[in-house]
Amino acid sequence: MSIKGKVWKYSDDVNTDVIFPGKYTYTITDPKEMALHALEDLDLKFAKEVKKEDIIVAGRNFGCGSSREQAATCLKYAGVGAIVAKSFSRIFFRNAINQGLPLVQCKEAVENISLGEAITIDFEKGELFCKKGVFKFPPLPESVLGILEDGGLIPHIKKILKMEKGE
Amino acid sequence: MGKTFAEKILALKSGKESVVIGEIVTVSPDIVMSHDNTSAIAKKFKQIGIDKVKHPEKIVIPLDHCIPAATEKYAANHKEIREFVQEQKIEYFYDINTGVCHQVLPEKGHIIPGTLILGADSHTTTYGAFGTFSTGIGRSEVASIWATDEIWLRVPETIKINIEGEIPPGIYPKDIILHIIGDLGADGALYRAVEFCGKVIRKMDISGRMTLCNMAVEMGAKIGYIEPDDKTIQWLSLMTNKKYEIIKSDADAEFEKIINYDISDLEPQIACPHTVDNVKPVSRVAGTKINQALIGTCTNGRIEDLKIASEILKGKRISNKVRLLIFPASMEVYTEAMELGILRELVRSGAVIMNPGCGPCLGAHEGALAPGEVCLSTANRNFKGRMGCNEAEVYLASPATVAVSSLYGEITDVRGDLK
């Protein structure tokens, strides 16, 4: 599994309220509509200009705040291929994986990537290629990779339950 | 070497002799909480392809985020939840006449020490005030637990926060937790279990302990935890007669860090826009004009909080430049505040008493702000756009600071008014 995309770069503590404002949490239920509001209170350009497989690169504690899963859903449906950050907030980390949105935690890479450049991420090898070089990151645990490969937690659980039933 | 609370409870709940930090364990939770997001979770649950939730008795659903429904869309959402609850025979459903989830679960006797509680809400950390392991998860995970009764968790490192000193006048639990978050930062306890202890905690009432654990997540913590004591046992005895076992860290447990605070000289604390860790002492922001003041939410909507506010506002009138909204955290709190005459004093001072619920805290309902307006709130978040308007500003403070500031129409040091 590898992707190549253009970088959107943001700083530390990008919170779930600026990713997907609370006022939409119960009024917008269609993931495609969620995508139209992605990062609305941080960067109005993002939702309009983001392309499929673009990559978000950010500082520490990405996704802090609410447990709202739509923060991951809206980015996924906006086309985001992966998020690279110095660290992730724990609930966002789980939500992103559970939505089939891959994450890379690599402080060094973040410090060496510039806005707008194209980067490539190889998830199995745990390597990130950017203009300034190649950066290694620990690959995700197998159990987590399994959820990503199945496209998220719900399809993953569905598959497991079917296997258990012997279907 | 002894074990921490987090290590002990995750071993217990995963059926293992012992676990180590960093280990991924599969656990079966005691309670799974969801609120207005239940209909979205129910849709995910149906996608899994099974009809019945595995353990309806573990599911607790209070409606609180947008109650009563603000629009047809919210009303339809609530209707779907009521239908799902009936269909799945979920007994512990609390409709719009109950209160905020994090107040309702302890009040209704669902929370006892030594249990594992997961909720589709980041402030699920609140129940750590009763010696539980409680943390927030996402919607897909709740659906998955309903189906399988299982979830994976990583065994966290533990940070011990030791709070000593004498609480000075005008200082409340909210000031203490804001100070700690300001000091450690929004990721200061990322992925960690945080144990609050020390003399100040032992003196603190349950309400204050809930405020601390509620906001532990604002520094990234997985759980907040306070070791149960006589106060906890006494409080719980009024809510439930369930049997429980107290689990606590061993005396020789290994903590990642021990951080000490002496709060004897603490000033009232204010979290300034637009992050919770942007905390300043009141002296640095006093005089900031406010348009709205809010007392309530899962952080500070308890009887103790309303009592403090009414004592400050009694016989006085709030500034005609300020709208003061009061959201009791639950109908229990509302009733008690009524019986004690607290609501009367608040109304006479110019406050508007709202129905128990989350209100405008997350910008989904009631009390919206206009561009350029400033709100001083007892809630737990002040991110840009949090209360519905991305051109408004939100400051966070204790109920006492919010009450006194609503008198003067600007952020005010409560210590000047405590005579």
Side-chain angles (χ1 to χ4, degrees):
Chain A
M1 200 170 123
S2 89
I3 63 156
K4 184 176 182 181
K6 199 192 82 173
V7 166
W8 294 79
K9 197 159 182 193
Y10 300 105
S11 59
D12 294 340
D13 300 321
V14 173
N15 66 72
T16 52
D17 277 291
V18 298
I19 301 173
F20 190 75
K23 62 185 169 191
Y24 303 135
T25 47
Y26 299 101
T27 55
I28 298 178
T29 47
D30 175 6
K32 289 191 204 95
E33 201 189 338
M34 287 177 196
L36 302 176
H37 297 279
L39 282 168
E40 181 170 289
D41 280 346
L42 181 67
D43 180 0
L44 273 173
K45 268 192 351 202
F46 179 82
K48 288 184 194 128
E49 296 176 14
V50 64
K51 300 269 187 311
K52 196 164 186 290
E53 296 216 334
D54 277 3
I55 295 167
I56 291 176
V57 177
R60 282 159 40 181
N61 204 20
F62 188 92
C64 62
S66 161
S67 64
R68 74 185 63 134
E69 199 164 83
Q70 301 98 309
T73 313
C74 73
L75 295 176
K76 167 90 179 166
Y77 278 80
V80 172
I83 306 172
V84 182
K86 290 184 183 172
S87 62
F88 292 92
S89 168
R90 64 163 283 276
I91 307 180
F92 183 87
F93 182 91
R94 301 182 73 103
N95 283 341
I97 301 294
N98 291 337
Q99 291 294 300
L101 174 59
L103 305 179
V104 172
Q105 187 169 323
C106 186
K107 187 168 173 273
E108 220 191 342
V110 170
E111 283 162 359
N112 283 285
I113 297 171
S114 312
L115 170 72
E117 74 168 288
I119 63 172
T120 304
I121 304 171
D122 184 322
F123 293 98
E124 271 111 36
K125 285 194 187 146
E127 287 176 345
L128 186 154
F129 303 82
C130 66
K131 262 189 205 155
K132 288 201 180 160
V134 184
F135 296 92
K136 284 271 199 192
F137 59 89
L140 291 164
E142 244 173 67
S143 56
V144 173
L145 270 176
I147 298 174
L148 278 176
E149 278 161 9
D150 290 340
L153 182 65
I154 298 294
H156 181 68
I157 294 288
K158 194 173 172 177
K159 190 173 110 181
I160 289 174
L161 290 178
K162 267 192 176 169
M163 274 162 49
E164 279 175 5
K165 272 203 233 157
E167 282 176 25
Chain B
M1 182 57 74
K3 294 281 185 189
T4 63
F5 164 75
E7 292 167 312
K8 284 184 175 179
I9 191 161
L10 291 179
L12 178 73
K13 299 298 172 182
S14 61
K16 292 186 160 191
E17 188 95 338
S18 73
V19 296
V20 294
I21 286 166
E23 185 175 343
I24 306 281
V25 293
T26 300
V27 293
S28 169
D30 295 290
I31 288 175
V32 190
M33 190 280 293
S34 56
H35 42 64
D36 296 40
N37 50 22
T38 302
S39 60
I41 297 167
K43 288 191 184 92
K44 287 179 185 287
F45 174 73
K46 298 277 158 116
Q47 284 169 21
I48 296 173
I50 49 175
D51 298 330
K52 291 283 172 199
V53 298
K54 203 161 180 180
H55 285 288
E57 75 285 0
K58 289 188 177 185
I59 300 175
V60 184
I61 306 172
L63 293 186
D64 60 3
H65 270 53
C66 184
I67 56 165
T71 62
E72 186 182 326
K73 186 122 192 179
Y74 286 102
N77 180 50
H78 289 167
K79 182 167 176 263
E80 283 168 19
I81 296 170
R82 292 184 189 107
E83 286 165 359
F84 182 77
V85 161
Q86 280 224 321
E87 170 199 307
Q88 297 292 331
K89 300 189 168 50
I90 293 166
E91 185 184 345
Y92 304 121
F93 170 66
Y94 300 101
D95 215 314
I96 64 160
N97 56 351
T98 323
V100 182
C101 54
H102 303 313
Q103 184 68 15
V104 168
L105 264 70
E107 269 179 6
K108 297 291 180 189
H110 294 291
I111 306 298
I112 50 170
T115 54
L116 173 66
I117 299 149
L118 299 172
D121 189 283
S122 56
H123 294 108
T124 301
T125 53
T126 310
Y127 318 127
F130 302 94
T132 68
F133 188 102
S134 309
T135 192
I137 55 173
R139 294 176 175 186
S140 295
E141 299 190 298
V142 172
S144 151
I145 295 171
W146 285 354
T148 64
D149 192 35
E150 278 180 2
I151 189 172
W152 67 266
L153 291 175
R154 178 186 168 278
V155 181
E157 298 83 352
T158 299
I159 298 176
K160 189 168 172 172
I161 296 184
N162 194 30
I163 309 170
E164 298 292 340
E166 294 294 333
I167 304 183
I171 302 303
Y172 299 90
K174 182 63 162 286
D175 299 295
I176 296 171
I177 189 65
L178 286 178
H179 176 64
I180 294 171
I181 294 166
D183 186 43
L184 300 181
D187 61 351
L190 196 59
Y191 299 110
R192 268 61 179 172
V194 169
E195 282 195 26
F196 296 103
C197 56
K199 188 174 130 195
V200 171
I201 299 296
R202 290 302 135 217
K203 277 189 162 177
M204 192 178 283
D205 58 25
I206 296 299
S207 170
R209 295 178 186 184
M210 289 171 77
T211 303
L212 260 56
C213 290
N214 176 275
M215 289 197 74
V217 69
E218 305 306 332
M219 48 185 174
K222 184 172 201 158
I223 64 159
Y225 168 86
I226 292 176
E227 192 179 302
D229 57 13
D230 289 346
K231 282 186 181 151
T232 327
I233 294 165
Q234 165 66 18
W235 196 97
L236 289 168
S237 71
L238 303 173
M239 308 299 164
T240 179
N241 47 27
K242 283 180 196 150
K243 297 258 179 294
Y244 52 83
E245 191 192 338
I246 291 171
I247 301 175
K248 47 189 174 187
S249 293
D250 293 328
D252 59 344
E254 193 176 352
F255 296 97
E256 186 188 49
K257 255 191 262 184
I258 298 176
I259 305 171
N260 295 301
Y261 289 96
D262 187 318
I263 53 117
S264 305
D265 295 320
L266 195 66
E267 264 191 61
Q269 304 285 302
I270 315 281
C272 301
H274 292 286
T275 57
V276 186
D277 60 353
N278 184 18
V279 177
K280 295 174 183 166
V282 69
S283 54
R284 287 185 51 204
V285 281
T288 305
K289 302 283 180 221
I290 61 169
N291 306 98
Q292 182 163 292
L294 187 156
I295 300 174
T297 78
C298 56
T299 313
N300 278 122
R302 284 173 276 281
I303 194 70
E304 293 80 357
D305 302 313
L306 304 191
K307 201 179 274 176
I308 290 162
S310 82
E311 281 162 9
I312 290 168
L313 294 170
K314 189 173 182 178
K316 295 177 182 160
R317 190 78 193 164
I318 63 166
S319 160
N320 57 13
K321 304 238 168 48
V322 174
R323 317 176 292 267
L324 171 59
L325 307 182
I326 310 283
F327 285 85
S330 69
M331 280 300 175
E332 292 293 330
V333 173
Y334 194 105
T335 315
E336 195 177 348
M338 197 155 54
E339 282 163 0
L340 294 171
I342 289 172
L343 297 187
R344 187 180 59 226
E345 295 303 335
L346 292 171
V347 171
R348 282 183 180 159
S349 76
V352 179
I353 312 295
M354 310 291 290
N355 64 301
C358 301
C361 174
L362 72 157
H365 194 34
E366 301 167 325
L369 300 173
E373 285 197 322
V374 174
C375 180
L376 179 64
S377 168
T378 65
N380 42 44
R381 287 202 179 118
N382 60 349
F383 300 140
K384 198 176 174 204
R386 173 72 182 175
M387 289 179 70
C389 172
N390 63 13
E391 291 170 58
E393 292 189 329
V394 181
Y395 290 77
L396 307 175
S398 75
T401 297
V402 175
V404 75
S405 301
S406 64
L407 287 175
Y408 297 99
E410 57 186 45
I411 295 177
T412 305
D413 188 338
V414 67
R415 294 171 302 176
D417 275 53
L418 286 178
K419 297 272 154 58

